[in-house]
Amino acid sequence: MRGVDHPAPRTSTPISARDGAQTENRQQVQAAIMEAVEGLFAEGNAYADISVDRIAKAAGISRTAFYFYFADKRELITAMAAQMSQQLFDQAVDFFSGEAGSTDELRDVLGAVYDLYRSHGALARAVVEVSTYDEEIAVFWRGLLTRFIDAVEARVVRERGAQTGAPARAVAFSLVWMTERTLYQQLVQGDPIPRDDAIAALVEIFEGAR
């Protein structure tokens, strides 16, 4: 009919594509929040002294928006710890699988783990320190390290075959926690042992436990 404007057919983005965009945006904002918090830690701020308001401001979002992405500070720091733990695990995966079999390869793996831990030093320090007074985070942190213990135990069992020795689980537990404590003490004490010497010591101990 003349004089009547018919609207153009409405097109819509498929639900799956809209969800994908929302997921990507959510991940970007979460990453911005985590980066902001790690920056606050790097400036010397303690976890207990950083409010949600301060985190939101540093990330460039509102306090209300923060709660859209994280329930509270504890959920945020555990998410950050899990992400760091995954990155560390990925660095060591060749050792766990047995691909890194030589001394040089083991040195490369432990060196990469050492350097990655140091690159997230402010976060690592915060997580470990919070775990000393927050039991929920302590349990979570121990759970993350248990994954490393499981992987090391599996390698020890494979390499030993029929040989006997200390229980593989005990060996793995000791190696993982020894490494965690060494990295942490290197961090908080300002490298009392030169990096290469610390890595060489870890390599020697790991090889002796095979």
Side-chain angles (χ1 to χ4, degrees):
M1 181 182 299
R2 294 182 63 183
V4 176
D5 293 327
H6 295 283
R10 178 176 296 176
T11 59
S12 61
T13 305
I15 293 295
S16 58
R18 292 205 304 272
D19 288 347
Q22 290 171 356
T23 298
E24 182 178 357
N25 182 66
R26 182 183 184 89
Q27 291 173 343
Q28 290 174 345
V29 176
Q30 287 177 324
I33 294 171
M34 291 180 181
E35 183 178 351
V37 173
E38 197 155 0
L40 290 171
F41 287 148
E43 292 172 3
N45 297 286
Y47 170 82
D49 296 332
I50 300 175
S51 66
V52 170
D53 283 333
R54 192 172 177 188
I55 293 170
K57 182 177 180 180
I61 61 174
S62 68
R63 176 187 174 90
T64 301
F66 172 91
Y67 289 111
F68 179 75
Y69 298 100
F70 297 101
D72 51 29
K73 288 199 309 178
R74 180 184 284 121
E75 183 174 279
L76 170 58
I77 197 171
T78 53
M80 294 173 70
Q83 185 178 83
M84 178 179 67
S85 174
Q86 181 62 54
Q87 292 172 352
L88 290 167
F89 194 92
D90 291 343
Q91 288 291 343
V93 72
D94 285 347
F95 170 77
F96 299 144
S97 67
E99 291 294 322
S102 70
T103 298
D104 287 343
E105 289 171 326
L106 178 56
R107 183 181 298 109
D108 288 343
V109 167
L110 288 172
V113 168
Y114 185 103
D115 292 339
L116 180 60
Y117 187 94
R118 292 306 298 268
S119 72
H120 290 291
L123 171 60
R125 182 169 185 162
V127 172
V128 172
E129 290 180 356
V130 174
S131 71
T132 64
Y133 61 80
D134 187 316
E135 183 59 22
E136 185 173 330
I137 291 179
V139 170
F140 182 81
W141 182 239
R142 290 195 294 268
L144 291 177
L145 288 176
T146 296
R147 184 186 182 198
F148 289 81
I149 295 169
D150 292 341
V152 173
E153 179 185 17
R155 171 154 182 171
V156 170
V157 169
R158 286 197 308 271
E159 292 204 349
R160 278 185 176 178
Q163 297 179 14
T164 58
R169 186 68 178 182
V171 171
F173 182 93
S174 300
L175 288 174
V176 170
W177 278 104
M178 171 202 69
T179 302
E180 190 271 351
R181 287 291 85 189
T182 297
L183 295 178
Y184 179 73
Q185 291 302 321
Q186 283 286 99
L187 178 66
V188 299
Q189 293 188 40
D191 294 312
I193 301 172
R195 172 191 180 277
D196 290 347
D197 290 350
I199 293 170
L202 291 173
V203 169
E204 185 173 319
I205 294 169
F206 266 83
E207 288 202 315
R210 292 181 178 184

